[in-house]
Amino acid sequence: MSKVMEGVRVLEVAQFTFVPAAGGILADWGADVIKIEHPLRGDTQRGFLNMGGVLLDPLRHTLIEHPNRGKRSVGIDMSTPEGQELLYELARTSDVFLTNYLPQVRQKNKFDIEHIRAINPNIIYARGSAWGNKGPEREQGGFDGTAFWSRSGIAHAFSPEEMEAPLSQAIPAFGDSIGAMFIAGGISAALYHREKTGEAKELDVSLLSTAAWASGALLAQIMETGVSMRASMPKSGGSARSPFNGNYNTSDGRTINLCINSPTGLIRDTFEHLGLPELADDPRFSEPRALFENAKAASDLMVPAFAKHDFAYWREHLKTMKGQWAPVLSFPELLEDEQALANDMIVEVDGADGKPLKLIRGPVQWDGEPLETTRAPQASEHTELVLMELGLEWERIEALKAKGAIA
């Protein structure tokens, strides 16, 4: 497959998902990503073996595999002078330094930007954080559940006012995985800029800014008009302004989503597909303005029409409809969806236990080719190999092990 980042070395000093997932994307694209882990503990996330009641096998740890596939792991204790010196030696040969450690930790262990740039002035320094690298809370930690979901306004917007409490984030590392693509994209732009100008940039992406950008269309509306939006309680039917935008329940309790934002030229075709051809000639619904003004009346007629047939019928029957629609699927159903599989969204690697392990590829596909990658490394799996590539003699490696500076 295409390896557009081949020849690029990324030195990753990061834990959990947000920033490591950016390293995983760059590894997917062909970069040599060296993940630095504590020689005893490894990435703290390796200890997360019970996720929402789901027990994870340490050899098939999906929350490690998702953000860390394709990397090499080196165990270094960065709190020791010897470990810091090894980190600097790796930084000399790297194009990118990628981290999500807090400023005070970077300073204490001497891998903040001034320390790394003193070793390699041409390195791109990329930071990911919960709240951003400026402001009074730059030294505070956070996760996507706090920064992306809760504080950003997303949880509030997705939770109907009638609910006693806001919806919880049901997808692990949801904001992390989105924000990781922004980091990977920023690094790609920084590499291009360095190639053109010789100037190495530093970049920051926060989970809070990720959420703000993802919500940017609504936030712009609020700043312009002062009018916000919030989800309403779920029901079968169209929205307050358009019967062609909404969720409609089928006879077997499943749901079809209509998303016909502009009904011009589609009114007759839509009603005919719903078995309601007579509504296209009804003056209340025959042209867009009237349809919007009489949205509830149209919706009330469409709800029982959808309820006449089951989910499988509508999935097949609506294939010829000109307007936009989608079946509302569960995640297990997505994993078997014909369109998802046709676009190579699932990749299989050999797990650490030798058995196949399935993962989701990143959203960018090069030349239509399926992704080829490897499993995430075990903690410190490649320490000796990478250090020998740096030119360290075996005697020095043994001495560093004896001091506890490396795994």
Side-chain angles (χ1 to χ4, degrees), residues 85-140:
E85 182 55 38
L86 276 181
L87 189 70
Y88 298 156
E89 291 186 45
L90 285 166
R92 287 189 183 97
T93 66
S94 298
D95 299 284
V96 179
F97 189 90
L98 179 58
T99 187
N100 64 353
Y101 277 86
L102 294 170
Q104 60 271 34
V105 178
R106 301 196 302 263
Q107 283 293 317
K108 178 182 177 181
N109 293 304
K110 300 180 181 179
F111 60 85
D112 217 338
I113 184 168
E114 65 268 25
H115 307 111
I116 300 301
R117 283 273 175 86
I119 300 301
N120 182 351
N122 295 317
I123 202 167
I124 291 160
Y125 196 94
R127 290 176 295 253
S129 64
W131 314 111
N133 197 50
K134 297 186 286 187
E137 296 178 48
R138 68 184 294 265
E139 294 187 352
Q140 300 298 315

Side-chain angles (χ1 to χ4, degrees), residues 1-2 341-345 361 363-372:
M1 59 164 284
S2 300
L341 295 176
N343 282 276
D344 312 303
M345 292 184 190
R361 72 163 173 83
V364 178
Q365 190 170 37
W366 305 104
D367 297 327
E369 298 171 340
L371 172 65
E372 294 177 9

Side-chain angles (χ1 to χ4, degrees), residues 36-92:
I36 304 301
E37 302 191 59
H38 190 277
L40 297 179
R41 300 187 300 272
D43 185 324
T44 301
Q45 191 160 262
R46 292 186 184 274
F48 291 11
L49 297 178
N50 188 326
M51 296 299 298
V54 178
L55 296 179
L56 299 175
D57 183 338
L59 295 179
R60 303 174 63 80
H61 193 320
T62 51
L63 201 56
I64 286 291
E65 294 290 341
H66 170 66
N68 292 299
R69 68 278 193 93
K71 301 177 186 177
R72 299 194 288 172
S73 174
V74 174
I76 297 178
D77 186 346
M78 295 174 294
S79 69
T80 67
E82 295 86 357
Q84 290 165 8
E85 182 55 38
L86 276 181
L87 189 70
Y88 298 156
E89 291 186 45
L90 285 166
R92 287 189 183 97

Side-chain angles (χ1 to χ4, degrees), residues 167-390:
L167 292 170
S168 59
Q169 182 179 311
I171 305 171
F174 188 34
D176 293 337
S177 300
I178 297 170
M181 282 302 303
F182 299 161
I183 298 174
I187 288 171
S188 301
L191 287 167
Y192 178 78
H193 179 80
R194 191 182 69 176
E195 179 70 21
K196 290 293 185 181
T197 69
E199 181 187 25
K201 290 288 189 181
E202 61 179 294
L203 66 99
D204 287 282
V205 177
S206 71
L207 287 165
L208 192 62
S209 66
T210 294
W213 169 252
S215 311
L218 175 56
L219 291 174
Q221 172 189 298
I222 294 168
M223 290 186 287
E224 177 65 20
T225 69
V227 179
S228 186
M229 298 172 66
R230 195 171 181 183
S232 57
M233 288 295 286
K235 63 178 180 64
S236 183
S239 70
R241 288 293 298 154
S242 173
F244 287 5
N245 283 82
N247 293 313
Y248 288 87
N249 291 344
T250 62
S251 64
D252 52 351
R254 299 298 301 275
T255 306
I256 297 293
N257 170 256
L258 293 186
C259 191
I260 305 174
N261 291 326
S262 177
T264 301
L266 301 174
I267 292 176
R268 183 171 299 279
D269 178 73
T270 301
F271 282 134
E272 287 177 350
H273 275 82
L274 301 186
L276 302 168
E278 68 279 4
L279 297 189
D281 296 316
D282 189 316
R284 296 176 297 168
F285 316 128
S286 58
E287 55 90 18
R289 183 178 295 276
L291 183 69
F292 296 151
E293 291 174 350
N294 296 282
K296 184 178 185 308
S299 176
D300 288 346
L301 295 168
M302 292 165 62
V303 167
F306 271 101
K308 286 182 180 179
H309 302 286
D310 64 16
F311 190 61
Y313 168 85
W314 288 113
R315 288 198 70 176
E316 184 62 32
H317 181 68
L318 295 180
K319 286 182 178 180
T320 57
M321 192 171 76
K322 296 176 182 178
Q324 299 300 306
W325 67 278
V328 177
L329 299 183
S330 66
F331 280 132
E333 288 173 321
L334 175 65
L335 295 176
E336 298 178 354
D337 186 76
E338 180 182 18
Q339 188 65 19
L341 295 176
N343 282 276
D344 312 303
M345 292 184 190
I346 298 174
V347 60
E348 187 173 285
V349 299
D350 291 328
D353 60 358
K355 299 176 184 177
L357 178 68
K358 292 182 178 180
L359 302 169
I360 300 299
R361 72 163 173 83
V364 178
Q365 190 170 37
W366 305 104
D367 297 327
E369 298 171 340
L371 172 65
E372 294 177 9
T373 187
T374 58
R375 62 168 174 84
Q378 292 293 289
S380 306
E381 181 177 344
H382 304 95
T383 302
E384 291 98 338
L385 176 62
V386 172
L387 295 185
M388 290 177 72
E389 288 176 0
L390 277 181

Side-chain angles (χ1 to χ4, degrees), residues 134-150:
K134 297 186 286 187
E137 296 178 48
R138 68 184 294 265
E139 294 187 352
Q140 300 298 315
F143 293 99
D144 67 334
T146 57
F148 176 86
W149 185 255
S150 297

